[in-house]
Amino acid sequence: MCALAGLSLSSDYIVPQEVKQAGFQICAEELGSIVEGHDVKKLKIHDGVEGIAEKLCTTITKGISTSEIDRRKQVYGVNKFTETPPKGFWFFVWEAVQDTTLMILGFCAFVSLLVGIVMEGWPKGAHDGLGIVASILLVVFVTATSDYRQSLQFRDLDKEKKKIVVQVTRNGLRQKLSIYDLLPGDIVHLSIGDQVPADGLFMSGYSLLINESSLTGESEPVNVNASNPFLLSGTKVQNGSCKMLVTTVGMRTQWGKLMATLSEGGDDETPLQVKLNGVATVIGKIGLFFAVVTFAVLVQGLFTRKLEEGTQWIWSGVPEGLPLAVTLSLAFAMKKMMNDKALVRHLAACETMGSATTICSDKTGTLTTNHMTVVKTCICGEIKEVNGSEKFGSSIPESVRKLLLESIFNNTGGDVVVNEAKKVEILGTPTETALLELGLLLGGDFQEERGKSKIVKVEPFNSTKKRMGVVLELPEGGFRAHCKGASEIALAACDKFLNSNGDVVPLDEASTKLLQDTIENFASEALRTLCLAYSDIGSGFSESVDIPFQGYTCIAIVGIKDPVRPGVKESVAVCRSAGIVVRMVTGDNLTTAKAIARECGILTDDGLAIEGPEFREKSDEELQQLIPKLQVMARSSPMDKHTLVKTLRTTFQEVVAVTGDGTNDAPALHEADIGLAMGIAGTEVAKESADVIILDDNFSTIVTVGKWGRSVYVNIQKFVQFQLTVNVVALVVNFTSACLTGNAPLTAVQLLWVNMIMDTLGALALATEPPTDDLMKRAPVGRKGNFISNVMWRNIMGQSLYQFVVIWYLQTQGKEAFRLDGPDSDLILNTLIFNSFVFCQVICDYKTLNFFNRKTGNHEVVKD
């Protein structure tokens, strides 16, 4: 135990002996009290962040050594939270027994056994009661097995969700590490959209804004810097970047303590489950009404007859299989979708995606590969192709080359490191990586360039400004701002450019047109264009003011190639044939967006492409005219995407799926019916706002999710048609027979067994069929589609009438038709009726499969 516990002054702090023996100078409890309590006084007593780092035996440049990992784990613990122990199989058995219908059946079984044994003795009098008990056990164990397997699937999926990787400096190398491997003393690199993986202290960084709403409930972001260096686990980086010193991990963090106080919540039911629970309840009430009437009719018989039929009222059998079928189908789909690179976070997304009518997709990384390389540049007014050889930079004036390297290596969120294999590795986003590769190709040295000048201020890239800026303090004195961003935006801030000799000259009309034409030409070749510029801003710059955005000199325009993913064009065509409209929403310029959209098959001749600034100026009336034709939105802001999604959902009643990867995509992901976050390029904020995580960032996977969603919907329709047919026939046959003949041909136990078998094994058979490609040749159901279609009602009524005629004929003419006489004729006839009823259900099952498989194109099953 830390010696400081209960003391208010840290000057009295004594290092525990076990901590000293391990080679450290501060205990876990003391570290936790500093960060969690935002205790600046204690931090100063320990000589600030640098003092804490020293006591943890770490440095900002090298991090911790892997040779001391075991000692650190013993002293400070691991970065894992205590998890609720998994529920065992018998828990689900007990839960299944709590069902109201099964409890009523249990009571009926007890009464049946008691009356039967008293009246007819053992074992003949126990047949009905034991039959009911056996049916109850069957349902309980099938339901428990299904729920238990589903809980195991959810645990596997939960493990996938928790596979979060961060960049860490260890052994002097920057490397990727699971958050569960973090230890106090680790140096973690955080940027926009990251989740803070442990409690820690700010060491260095720029413009860091932290969203602490997950812990404090406060929506206003907190500025974290050298004077307020405290970072808490579970919070999100809203802006900026930093290096963080990990101080507290696992259950000692504030997030860990919060998790320990929370009890596990139950799983929410999906819309389809709620809808079908309602169907089951209505059918149950109807069945109960007719059962009571039937019972009243049969009471007219002898008192002994009443005792024999005392459990007759239960025959209706509430179709508990409806919710079971939905759960089975959804769980089955979730597991299979995981194999298809789609991680379902919310169960409802399985079914909702099947009703999607519109997909609003990002371009970069979803429609394209997200493997970017600079293939063309315009430097000093000359367009050059980047061929990968060192000769590429030989014709560039030395002064321009130096400026270009200064811009590339300082104005970046990426890094160039030497990995464990002693090879150069570039870390960062695909765009940053492409530019850093260009810098290395020009003969630059990242670390050397960064050491030449001091970075004073950084404004990280965000999707609102569409640019990134940095201010350097030059060795010869004065400050220089570098800017890079969307070409037309950055170029608009320039009034000078570098000519063929490398001299700074005014940007006149001719040179402006040359650069604008270059941007258009690059974009028409489906290249992503960026403009790099700089401005000398004198010696009066203050870190507290924004980086100026005017008076810049254009250094270069670069064209970055991001190839379209294989299979995207075919997937878009599949969506079109399925009645799903695909719209591209991107931050790239209009020309690039249109070129990519045409290549993907999204933009058609009668389609409309528009820029975000123009879109947001439109009135509601204009949007109603524009949106049905809209296929591409370029230069869009996060709020443009949110507005588009909201309008599609509310005004046009579309079921909308949206892809996103950035922090600012969270509002649109949340607004959509189905939010699809990218598993590779997506930030933790985007993933938490999404319903499904696309693990391979591939648009084709989104189409697969839609196919599985439709499969869930069709599978449940199959089961409902089959189940309603069984219940309608059973109800009508027994009710009509009781009213007209005074005798019910199907006994309580027989009907109970038929219902239970249909509910359990029928659900297993019908609810777990895999999807077929032909599912994507049908129009989507949409928001207002009827779950039980007119054709399904026709099938239900037709099958019911056919079965009723068969059973009624046997009931009235069976003895004569089969020449039954003698004392056992009634027993034989009832057996014949029951078997005929069962075989009618087999035929009904086959007809149901046949109908739906013809409808969905699954011809193999039809032949079977």
Side-chain angles (χ1 to χ4, degrees):
M1 173 65 73
C2 178
L4 188 69
L7 297 177
S8 58
L9 294 175
S10 291
S11 54
D12 298 331
Y13 175 67
I14 300 171
V15 183
Q17 194 60 37
E18 62 270 22
V19 176
K20 275 186 178 178
Q21 288 174 352
F24 307 113
Q25 298 300 314
I26 190 167
C27 70
E29 287 77 8
E30 177 74 352
L31 287 167
S33 68
I34 292 172
V35 177
E36 187 180 340
H38 287 50
D39 199 326
V40 178
K41 184 185 289 185
K42 275 187 183 179
L43 185 61
K44 285 183 178 177
I45 290 171
H46 286 286
D47 298 322
V49 178
E50 290 78 10
I52 296 288
E54 189 176 334
K55 291 178 179 182
L56 283 170
C57 302
T58 187
T59 65
I60 192 170
T61 54
K62 292 188 176 180
I64 66 173
S65 169
T66 51
S67 61
E68 58 193 34
I69 284 178
D70 290 339
R71 283 189 290 125
R72 285 185 190 272
K73 286 181 180 178
Q74 289 173 0
V75 175
Y76 299 110
V78 294
N79 197 33
K80 292 183 180 176
F81 303 121
T82 302
E83 295 184 354
T84 308
K87 295 173 182 175
F89 174 73
W90 292 107
F91 170 86
F92 292 101
V93 171
W94 173 250
E95 203 172 54
V97 172
Q98 307 305 306
D99 182 83
T100 306
T101 304
L102 295 182
M103 292 172 77
I104 294 172
L105 289 176
F107 174 75
C108 292
F110 173 75
V111 172
S112 178
L113 280 168
L114 187 66
V115 172
I117 292 171
V118 169
M119 298 297 297
E120 300 183 51
W122 177 270
K124 185 178 180 182
H127 288 168
D128 281 0
L130 290 176
I132 297 172
V133 170
S135 68
I136 291 171
L137 290 175
L138 172 68
V139 173
V140 165
F141 279 96
V142 169
T143 304
T145 302
S146 168
D147 290 345
Y148 177 63
R149 286 171 62 85
Q150 185 183 336
S151 74
L152 294 179
Q153 286 181 11
F154 272 106
R155 290 187 71 82
D156 291 341
L157 294 174
D158 199 47
K159 287 178 183 176
E160 285 293 327
K161 285 195 288 186
K162 292 177 179 177
K163 287 181 180 178
I164 301 173
V165 173
V166 290
Q167 291 193 6
V168 179
T169 298
R170 270 192 187 177
N171 288 331
L173 301 171
R174 186 163 163 176
Q175 53 196 275
K176 292 178 181 178
L177 209 65
S178 166
I179 61 170
Y180 301 113
D181 294 330
L182 291 178
L183 293 167
D186 269 322
I187 308 300
V188 177
H189 302 256
L190 297 174
S191 56
I192 294 178
D194 286 345
Q195 179 173 305
V196 180
D199 285 0
L201 295 167
F202 174 94
M203 298 196 80
S204 66
Y206 307 98
S207 311
L208 190 64
L209 282 178
I210 298 292
N211 184 335
E212 295 186 347
S213 59
S214 56
L215 282 179
T216 65
E218 293 292 333
S219 58
E220 201 63 32
V222 176
N223 252 310
V224 175
N225 47 41
S227 57
N228 177 36
F230 308 106
L231 290 158
L232 299 174
S233 174
T235 58
K236 313 287 191 311
V237 180
Q238 189 165 316
N239 198 16
S241 59
C242 78
K243 291 181 182 179
M244 178 187 87
L245 170 66
V246 176
T247 57
T248 318
V249 294
M251 297 305 294
R252 289 192 174 99
T253 64
Q254 192 165 341
W255 183 258
K257 291 174 182 176
L258 178 64
M259 289 295 101
T261 65
L262 298 179
S263 59
E264 185 178 356
D267 295 326
D268 293 334
E269 289 185 321
T270 78
L272 197 56
Q273 282 175 313
V274 173
K275 192 185 297 182
L276 290 181
N277 274 328
V279 172
T281 303
V282 170
I283 294 172
K285 288 178 179 177
I286 294 171
L288 184 60
F289 170 75
F290 280 98
V292 170
V293 176
T294 304
F295 180 75
V297 172
L298 295 174
V299 159
Q300 297 172 3
L302 295 172
F303 185 71
T304 53
R305 179 70 175 166
K306 174 194 178 284
L307 285 176
E308 292 172 2
E309 303 291 342
T311 56
Q312 183 67 23
W313 67 276
I314 64 169
W315 70 272
S316 63
V318 175
E320 291 294 312
L322 291 181
L324 174 63
V326 179
T327 304
L328 280 172
S329 191
L330 291 172
F332 177 73
M334 285 181 70
K335 184 70 174 177
K336 294 296 183 180
M337 284 161 70
M338 183 68 197
N339 297 335
D340 288 336
K341 303 297 182 184
L343 170 60
V344 179
R345 297 186 72 250
H346 301 137
L347 198 62
C350 287
E351 70 192 51
T352 312
M353 190 64 196
S355 303
T357 56
T358 292
I359 299 175
C360 296
S361 175
D362 279 344
K363 177 184 75 69
T364 306
T366 308
L367 299 170
T368 60
T369 60
N370 212 18
H371 294 152
M372 301 191 186
T373 51
V374 178
V375 294
K376 278 192 174 183
T377 65
C378 178
I379 303 171
C380 299
E382 184 182 348
I383 297 174
K384 298 174 179 290
E385 293 214 7
V386 181
N387 53 20
S389 69
E390 294 182 1
K391 292 180 180 179
F392 160 71
S394 59
S395 61
I396 301 174
E398 184 61 23
S399 59
V400 177
R401 195 183 74 89
K402 286 181 178 179
L403 274 172
L404 192 55
L405 290 176
E406 186 178 82
S407 175
I408 290 172
F409 288 142
N410 286 289
N411 191 20
T412 181
D415 202 352
V416 180
V417 299
V418 177
N419 60 23
E420 294 179 358
K422 305 300 180 184
K423 293 183 178 180
V424 173
E425 184 178 356
I426 301 174
L427 303 173
T429 65
T431 306
E432 297 283 14
T433 301
L435 287 172
L436 290 171
E437 282 178 350
L438 177 65
L440 295 176
L441 183 63
L442 288 168
D445 183 300
F446 181 84
Q447 301 300 339
E448 181 185 329
E449 199 64 47
R450 290 294 280 261
K452 288 180 181 177
S453 49
K454 178 185 175 185
I455 297 177
V456 177
K457 185 178 179 69
V458 174
E459 288 183 359
F461 178 87
N462 67 55
S463 54
T464 304
K465 293 180 178 178
K466 300 196 184 302
R467 68 176 190 269
M468 175 181 182
V470 64
V471 175
L472 306 178
E473 185 176 358
L474 302 174
E476 61 271 18
F479 297 91
R480 177 176 290 159
H482 281 279
C483 167
K484 76 175 177 196
S487 294
E488 60 271 26
I489 294 173
L491 186 60
C494 296
D495 55 16
K496 298 177 286 294
F497 83 112
L498 301 171
N499 66 13
S500 57
N501 298 319
D503 301 326
V504 177
V505 295
L507 197 58
D508 57 20
E509 188 175 336
S511 52
T512 300
K513 186 176 186 309
L514 171 68
L515 294 175
Q516 288 175 342
D517 288 346
T518 300
I519 293 169
E520 282 294 311
N521 291 336
F522 284 7
S524 65
E525 296 174 26
L527 301 183
R528 187 177 191 180
T529 62
L530 291 177
C531 178
L532 280 62
Y534 80 98
S535 175
D536 289 321
I537 54 177
S539 57
F541 179 76
S542 170
E543 191 180 344
S544 59
V545 301
D546 290 338
I547 300 175
F549 191 57
Q550 57 184 6
Y552 277 78
T553 302
C554 176
I555 305 172
I557 291 169
V558 298
I560 302 175
K561 182 70 173 176
D562 185 12
V564 171
R565 281 184 181 274
V568 164
K569 189 171 184 178
E570 292 79 5
S571 297
V572 171
V574 168
C575 287
R576 200 179 298 282
S577 68
I580 302 171
V581 178
V582 181
R583 293 177 167 91
M584 179 198 287
V585 185
T586 179
D588 272 349
N589 76 41
L590 188 59
T591 308
T592 303
K594 287 166 70 174
I596 293 288
R598 283 199 181 92
E599 192 175 343
C600 295
I602 293 173
L603 185 59
T604 59
D605 294 338
D606 57 349
L608 184 65
I610 193 173
E611 288 191 324
E614 184 183 349
F615 175 82
R616 69 184 75 117
E617 295 297 323
K618 300 289 183 183
S619 64
D620 290 343
E621 293 76 17
E622 289 173 317
L623 287 178
Q624 288 191 28
Q625 299 295 319
L626 179 146
I627 286 178
K629 297 179 181 178
L630 182 63
Q631 293 176 340
V632 176
M633 191 193 298
R635 289 295 179 227
S636 65
S637 70
M639 288 316 297
D640 292 333
K641 184 187 280 191
H642 181 269
T643 303
L644 175 62
V645 172
K646 189 173 182 180
T647 307
L648 284 167
R649 290 186 71 241
T650 55
T651 305
F652 295 94
Q653 293 295 300
E654 301 268 5
V655 179
V656 185
V658 171
T659 71
D661 54 14
T663 305
N664 291 322
D665 288 324
L669 290 169
H670 184 73
E671 177 66 31
D673 294 286
I674 314 102
L676 303 158
M678 300 299 106
I680 300 170
T683 64
E684 292 308 313
V685 176
K687 291 176 188 177
E688 285 199 3
S689 300
D691 304 297
V692 179
I693 298 173
I694 306 301
L695 298 177
D696 60 357
D697 289 15
N698 196 336
F699 185 82
S700 300
T701 303
I702 298 171
V703 178
T704 303
V705 173
K707 190 194 298 182
W708 272 106
R710 292 188 175 197
S711 177
V712 167
Y713 199 87
V714 170
N715 284 347
I716 304 306
Q717 281 186 314
K718 291 177 190 176
F719 183 78
V720 167
Q721 177 174 311
F722 176 60
Q723 185 72 8
L724 284 178
T725 304
V726 175
N727 280 272
V728 167
V729 173
L731 186 149
V732 173
V733 167
N734 262 19
F735 177 70
T736 307
S737 181
C739 290
L740 298 179
T741 69
N743 182 37
L746 299 170
T747 68
V749 175
Q750 286 174 341
L751 279 168
L752 183 61
W753 267 90
V754 168
N755 260 281
M756 293 308 182
I757 294 296
M758 297 306 129
D759 282 356
T760 52
L761 301 183
L764 284 168
L766 294 174
T768 56
E769 282 203 68
T772 63
D773 291 337
D774 285 338
L775 280 170
M776 299 302 284
K777 294 178 182 176
R778 304 166 53 194
V781 177
R783 198 175 295 280
K784 294 183 177 180
N786 291 325
F787 181 74
I788 303 179
S789 66
N790 292 334
V791 178
M792 287 175 65
W793 279 121
R794 183 201 69 189
N795 292 344
I796 291 167
M797 292 300 114
Q799 279 288 323
S800 300
L801 180 61
Y802 150 71
Q803 292 187 32
F804 174 72
V805 169
V806 171
I807 301 300
W808 183 251
Y809 174 78
L810 292 173
Q811 171 74 3
T812 55
Q813 304 295 322
K815 287 185 178 181
E816 290 79 3
F818 292 97
R819 299 176 183 177
L820 298 176
D821 51 24
D824 293 331
S825 60
D826 287 338
L827 180 62
I828 294 170
L829 180 63
N830 283 343
T831 303
L832 181 63
I833 289 171
F834 176 66
N835 279 281
S836 299
F837 180 69
V838 170
F839 278 107
C840 280
Q841 307 322 315
V842 174
I843 295 170
C844 176
D845 191 7
Y846 173 77
K847 291 291 185 184
T848 299
L849 277 171
N850 213 18
F851 165 70
F852 277 99
N853 289 328
R854 275 202 309 270
K855 194 175 173 184
T856 58
N858 193 354
H859 303 294
E860 290 185 11
V861 181
V862 175
K863 287 190 295 183
D864 294 341

